[in-house]
């Protein structure tokens, strides 16, 4: 019996649909975490919506949820203080401060000169994790807005340069569409880079959700667009086992910038690669369910990956972008054990009776 391959997206909460789309070329279903009170991204139709679903893994009391939503609204109106205080605490340029400092920084944003400290919840670690994930969301949203603004300006510059070049070449009776396209691509690649989020801090915050999620064991595969997460989990795995994780296979995948086009691409891709995709997914599930990875399993998985890459070739010819998805196996260590170590810096209390292998898919 063929099982469905479902994956959990990390480390972002309520990610953009474009970030999820490439994983849907392979996964039968994709889930991600959403913070309390948030609207999750919507697909263009009900059929697509069933393929990716956001949910909040931890229930809050009405009082705590109201407090969280109030604080989130308050942060929205203090962008300058946010950058000078809270955003700085998430920057990789700064050390990993004590998590309790987040509450102090948030209190400093309040408009009054002196406020009463908020009453502690029964689980302050979870509360602080939610704040960090919310701040990371705000960081990414502002970063997207800056990038979009810069791209609009760069696009106009490219059009101006192309027009100038066109006038010059018109005198010679020639046009150069390739050069015009090159100018546009150059403008698109000159987006300024700002400070990056501290992946360790973000992973700890997301891990608090994961370790509390009753559904965590249902996900054999973790999916991410953050390459630094693989490095963090590799260090964690090495600390637990003395070994490095194994890279299983790399897949070249087509992408489309527009959601409507990508929806059609996903349907065509899955139809064209149905047999290879089904075999690949089944082999991945077998690896996840075993504590050791045999040479035979690896050979079969790589063979299925090669078949998928061959099936993807016709789609890559007409694809404006190409993404590579790399799969890593943490042999004999579950994803829960990895995040237990990440969040507490301690080894899991006891090994489970049936050893499993955590899987990570990194899209870059």
């Amino acid at each position: 019996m063929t099982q469905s391959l479902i994956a959990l997206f990390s480390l972002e909460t309520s990610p953009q649909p474009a970030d999820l789309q490439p994983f849907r070329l392979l996964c039968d279903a994709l889930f991600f975490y959403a913070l309390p009170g948030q609207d999750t991204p919507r697909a263009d139709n009900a059929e697509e919506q069933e393929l990716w679903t956001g949910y909040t893994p931890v229930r809050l009391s009405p009082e705590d949820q109201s407090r969280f939503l109030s604080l989130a609204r308050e942060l929205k109106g203090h962008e300058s203080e946010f950058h000078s205080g809270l955003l700085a605490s998430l920057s990789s340029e700064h050390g990993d401060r004590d998590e309790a400092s987040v509450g102090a920084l948030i209190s400093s944003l309040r408009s009054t000169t002196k406020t009463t400290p908020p009453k502690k919840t029964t689980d302050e670690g979870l509360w602080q994790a939610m704040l960090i994930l919310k701040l990371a969301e705000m960081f990414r949203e502002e970063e997207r807005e800056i990038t979009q603004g810069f791209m609009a300006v760069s696009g106009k510059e490219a059009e101006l340069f192309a027009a100038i070049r066109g006038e010059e070449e018109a005198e010679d009776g020639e046009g150069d569409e390739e050069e015009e396209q090159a100018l546009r691509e150059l403008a698109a690649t000159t987006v300024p880079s700002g400070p990056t989020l501290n992946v360790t801090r973000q992973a700890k915050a997301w891990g608090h959700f994961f370790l509390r999620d009753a559904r965590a064991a249902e996900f054999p595969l973790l999916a991410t667009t953050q390459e630094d997460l693989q490095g963090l989990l590799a260090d964690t795995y090495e600390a637990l086992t003395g070994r490095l994780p194994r890279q299983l296979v790399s897949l070249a995948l087509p992408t489309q910038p527009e959601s409507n086009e990508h929806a059609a691409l996903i349907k065509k891709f899955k139809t064209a690669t149905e047999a290879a995709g089904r075999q690949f997914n089944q082999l991945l599930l077998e690896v996840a369910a075993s504590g050791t990875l045999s040479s035979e399993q690896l050979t079969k998985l790589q063979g299925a990956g090669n078949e998928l890459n061959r099936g993807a070739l016709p789609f890559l010819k007409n694809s404006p972008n190409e993404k590579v998805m790399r799969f890593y196996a943490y042999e004999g260590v579950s994803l829960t054990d990895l995040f237990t170590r990440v969040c507490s810096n301690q080894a899991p209390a006891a090994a489970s009776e049936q050893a499993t292998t955590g899987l990570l898919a990194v899209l870059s």
Side-chain angles (χ1 to χ4, degrees):
M1 179 179 178
T2 301
Q3 293 178 288
S4 297
L5 178 65
I6 60 174
L8 181 64
F9 186 84
S10 64
L11 295 162
E12 296 182 25
T13 50
S14 295
Q16 294 294 301
D19 295 331
L20 305 176
Q21 287 169 346
F23 295 102
R24 289 166 44 217
L25 293 171
L26 295 175
C27 299
D28 298 299
L30 186 64
F31 294 82
F32 58 89
Y33 290 156
L35 293 172
Q38 280 188 326
D39 292 329
T40 59
R42 288 289 172 189
D44 296 322
N45 54 63
E47 183 180 351
E48 270 200 26
Q49 184 63 45
E50 292 178 359
L51 299 177
W52 46 286
T53 306
Y55 68 99
T56 304
V58 181
R59 288 185 177 274
L60 293 179
S61 67
E63 180 184 0
D64 281 346
Q65 178 151 321
S66 176
R67 175 188 167 200
F68 178 79
L69 296 177
S70 176
L71 185 52
R73 288 192 296 268
E74 185 177 352
L75 289 174
K76 275 279 189 180
H78 294 81
E79 284 80 2
S80 60
E81 296 94 333
F82 171 58
H83 274 288
S84 62
L86 295 172
L87 186 58
S89 74
L90 291 175
S91 173
S92 59
E93 298 173 1
H94 293 257
D96 188 14
R97 303 176 186 177
D98 185 82
E99 301 291 351
S101 64
V102 176
L105 286 167
I106 291 174
S107 297
S108 71
L109 295 184
R110 297 183 182 275
S111 56
T112 54
T113 56
K114 187 176 182 180
T115 57
T116 303
K119 185 170 61 176
K120 286 189 176 182
T121 63
T122 56
D123 190 339
E124 196 65 25
L126 176 63
W127 175 257
Q128 290 165 0
M130 290 193 303
L131 293 180
I132 290 172
L133 293 173
K134 181 62 181 178
L135 296 177
E137 276 187 11
M138 296 174 70
F139 177 95
R140 286 190 298 272
E141 182 59 34
E142 180 151 336
E143 193 175 52
R144 277 192 291 267
E145 291 175 1
I146 292 172
T147 299
Q148 290 171 358
F150 187 83
M151 287 289 291
V153 173
S154 298
K156 290 180 180 179
E157 288 178 351
E159 290 175 5
L160 178 60
F161 288 139
I164 294 172
R165 293 289 299 170
E167 289 176 4
E168 292 176 352
E169 292 172 354
E171 297 176 0
D172 300 329
E174 296 179 0
D176 193 347
E177 294 183 3
E178 291 184 1
E179 191 165 333
E180 180 180 343
Q181 181 62 28
L183 285 169
R184 293 178 183 276
E185 291 177 358
L186 177 62
T189 58
T190 54
V191 178
S193 59
T196 57
L197 294 175
N198 185 313
V199 174
T200 301
R201 174 174 293 233
Q202 194 180 357
K204 287 182 178 180
W206 188 90
H208 274 289
F209 267 23
F210 182 72
L211 296 176
R212 293 293 196 88
D213 186 5
R215 301 184 57 181
E218 298 178 14
F219 305 109
L221 177 67
L222 200 63
T224 187
T225 56
Q226 298 190 30
E227 294 183 68
D228 289 343
L229 176 61
Q230 195 281 322
L232 173 63
L233 294 183
D235 291 341
T236 304
Y237 179 72
E238 186 176 17
L240 286 172
T241 66
R243 307 189 305 270
L244 291 175
R246 300 181 68 171
Q247 181 172 331
L248 301 176
V249 67
S250 296
L251 301 180
L253 300 174
T255 62
Q256 291 286 350
E258 299 296 332
S259 59
N260 289 336
E261 295 177 4
H262 200 93
L265 171 68
I266 290 172
K267 188 173 182 178
K268 290 179 181 178
F269 183 88
K270 285 195 169 185
T271 300
T273 61
E274 182 179 3
R278 190 188 307 116
Q279 183 184 14
F280 182 83
N281 289 354
Q282 187 61 34
L283 290 168
L284 271 183
L285 291 170
E286 289 176 9
V287 170
S290 62
T292 58
L293 178 60
S294 68
S295 299
E296 183 181 3
Q297 281 179 314
L298 184 58
T299 300
K300 287 183 178 179
L301 185 63
Q302 291 174 342
N306 291 336
E307 285 296 320
L308 269 174
N309 281 328
R310 279 191 285 270
L313 286 176
F315 297 89
L316 294 172
K317 291 178 182 178
N318 300 320
S319 175
N321 300 300
E322 178 182 330
K323 295 288 187 180
V324 176
M325 190 180 296
R326 296 179 175 86
F327 291 81
Y328 297 88
Y330 304 90
E331 195 173 358
V333 177
S334 68
L335 294 172
T336 300
D337 289 344
L338 285 173
F339 277 96
T340 297
R341 174 79 181 201
V342 168
C343 293
S344 64
N345 201 30
Q346 295 179 354
S352 58
E353 294 182 3
Q354 183 178 2
T356 58
T357 292
L359 298 176
L360 175 70
V362 182
L363 187 74
S364 60

